[in-house]
Amino acid sequence: MFLKILLRRLITFLPTVLGIATFAFILGHATPGDPAYAALGVDLEGYSGVDPEEVERVRKELGLDKPILVQYFNWIWNALQGDFGRSYVNDYVVMDAVIEALPNTLYLLGFTMLTAIIVGVSIGMISAIYQGTIGDLIARLISIIGVSTPVFWFALILILVFAYTLDWFPIGGVVEEFGPKALVLPVASIALHPAALIARMTRSSMLEVLSHDMIRTATSKGLFRKRIFFVHALRNAINPVVTVIGFQTGNLVGGAVAIEVIFTIRGMGELLITAIHDKDILVMQCAILVIGVSFAVINLLVDMIYLLIDPRIRL
Amino acid sequence: MKADFKTKNKKNESDFLYRKSWDEFLESLKNFFGKKLNIFSFSLVMLLIFIAIFAPLLSPHQFDQVNPLNALAPPSLEHFMGTDTTGRDIFSRVLHGTTTSLSLALTTIIFGLVTGVTLGAISGYFVGIVDEIIMRIVDVFMSIPGVILALAMVAILGPSPIYLVLALSIRRIIQFARVTRGVVLSIKELDYISACHALGMSHIRIVFLHILPNCIGPIIVLSTVLIGNVILMESTLSFLGLGIQEPTPSWGTMIAKGNEFLTFAPWVSVSPGIFLFLTMIAFNLLGDGVRDHLDPKDKVST
């Protein structure tokens, strides 16, 4: 049964990936500017200093003279083999840059998600258990503030307070340079938003579960409060939380872009932004494809986890 | 004579229905404003809209008045929030930034709403190949993170305000289309729609007059929840240098500018951020309030 659902989900996964690839390809071709000129190091089309024959030669070399459909299939075929060509602007192999950047982003997002889950679930639990007290009010206040704080601004405030004034953490976010301490501020900045949402979600689903009959039964059986909260209630309350985590990965990627730029972390977001500013089409295409596909994979994984922890939705 | 009676009766009936729905509407408003938090967030939003409209009258200086001699001055009585690198008054720029942010967000939401609802209605009403194609495209766009999608669109179109609205609204179009499609799918099998068909009404009339009114609740909820989202996304793009361009005042661009002088002129970044933060709080609280009011079942935040 589980395998069948997995298979069905995988079948819808493939067209999505193809769609993302198509989008990335169209993106490269719709971006203003002629790649042949860019490859020659000339930004402006129609710049008189370039030999037209030279441009033709480069165009042929890059396969830009072929019909668009041929170019499309060539691009897809090369992409399948992990070959995205050399950057026109900075002359490096595109795939190398991505291989260097992707782990940085994944580390950043992984630690962020972990922090967000731990902090969010704890705050949500506290505010559900002490519902209606001052602790609950504070927890709810934190979560509404967390949801409303712009990531990039919060990061600057953190830098101002903890890096410049208190000098506890470095300003850059590169682990090789500053050690693991460098990750604290970037992770804290991105984690705020998902932690707040998870807290909110945990609170409301905990409150719902706590009103169920089974909790009353557990209480009347004389079980300890702790056991009731952490084993019986939390287990049932965690499902909507997983959904929120799935929703949030997209927002996280968005937040990560700004954070990578602020903390000069060489990740996918920073790569993409630099490529857009430089009009570096190949890098742009590759970055969009890799980000899109990773995001789709993460969503697939979240769906699978959801299936595993909640047998009720196995339709 | 008979026909005359019929139309008169019909008029009375519609008048009665109108009154009834108007009373229900008033009742619902009363309930909504019965909560203190809703009053608070609504007033905050109204205040922001007021600032956005009357920014030129409220700001003490011209937002683009350069004064290099007074660059990066700390907050004072003359400049409540200090000045930026070219000596422009930050407070005035922040007030004008409200106009930029709110008008851009509103345009985006309206554009997304109209396009999305139309697409969703077509998709849900004419199930089949059209629906299939629209939903597959929607799936692809949903699988690209929002900011990345907007960045890609800006890369293609270039950072002008109109294109920015386009880039920001793609995601909104999809969200509105999904919600509308869901409602249309569930409504169109109901008996009264069959009755409409039997009366020989056109598809367009059925969709616009008899199906779409059912979507008003979810669409109002979605719009209020999304406004904060759009404002945040616009300021993120501007922060990255790919949104609103200088000299148009925008909170994101201002925060980005201040990033370079964070050590000795923190007010350049901090002050516009406070406004952005307050705007987000106002719209998020209002969105939550509206959602709880109109759609108490669905508590999942987008």
Side-chain angles (χ1 to χ4, degrees), chain A residues 113 116-117 120-121 194 197-206 234 236-248 302 306 309, chain B residues 300:
Chain A
M113 212 64 236
I117 292 171
V121 170
L197 273 182
I198 292 172
R200 212 191 227 194
M201 206 61 222
T202 314
R203 178 177 182 274
S204 62
S205 60
M206 268 298 269
L234 186 62
N236 284 287
I238 210 80
N239 297 337
V241 178
V242 177
T243 322
V244 171
I245 296 168
F247 277 142
Q248 278 306 299
V302 170
Y306 203 43
I309 60 168
Chain B
V300 182

Side-chain angles (χ1 to χ4, degrees), chain A residues 185-247:
Chain A
L185 292 186
V187 164
S189 338
I190 320 177
L192 181 72
H193 188 108
L197 273 182
I198 292 172
R200 212 191 227 194
M201 206 61 222
T202 314
R203 178 177 182 274
S204 62
S205 60
M206 268 298 269
L207 285 181
E208 203 197 315
V209 172
L210 284 177
S211 67
H212 277 190
D213 288 346
M214 63 165 217
I215 298 298
R216 211 178 47 214
T217 315
T219 319
S220 58
K221 266 165 67 186
L223 291 178
F224 288 112
R225 269 174 74 84
K226 259 186 204 159
R227 195 178 152 79
I228 294 173
F229 285 132
F230 286 96
V231 181
H232 294 262
L234 186 62
R235 227 197 110 149
N236 284 287
I238 210 80
N239 297 337
V241 178
V242 177
T243 322
V244 171
I245 296 168
F247 277 142

Side-chain angles (χ1 to χ4, degrees), chain A residues 250-251 253-255 257 272, chain B residues 144-152 171 233 236-237 240:
Chain A
N251 285 348
V253 175
V257 175
L272 179 66
Chain B
I144 300 171
V147 170
I148 304 290
L149 186 63
L151 282 176
R171 210 42 186 301
M233 211 175 220
T236 308
L237 287 187
L240 293 168

Side-chain angles (χ1 to χ4, degrees), chain A residues 109-186:
Chain A
L109 291 185
F111 279 119
T112 303
M113 212 64 236
L114 204 67
T115 317
I117 292 171
I118 295 171
V119 174
V121 170
S122 331
I123 291 184
M125 290 278 288
I126 291 171
S127 86
I129 293 171
Y130 299 104
Q131 192 203 353
T133 63
I134 193 86
D136 179 29
L137 192 74
I138 293 172
R140 285 172 67 188
L141 211 64
I142 291 176
S143 77
I144 190 79
I145 288 174
V147 172
S148 307
T149 312
V151 174
F152 54 94
W153 181 65
F154 184 57
L156 293 186
I157 300 287
L158 286 185
I159 291 181
L160 190 63
V161 176
F162 293 104
Y164 285 134
T165 313
L166 296 172
D167 202 19
W168 287 355
F169 302 105
I171 297 150
V174 188
V175 179
E176 289 83 34
E177 208 176 316
F178 303 105
K181 248 173 135 182
L183 270 180
V184 175
L185 292 186

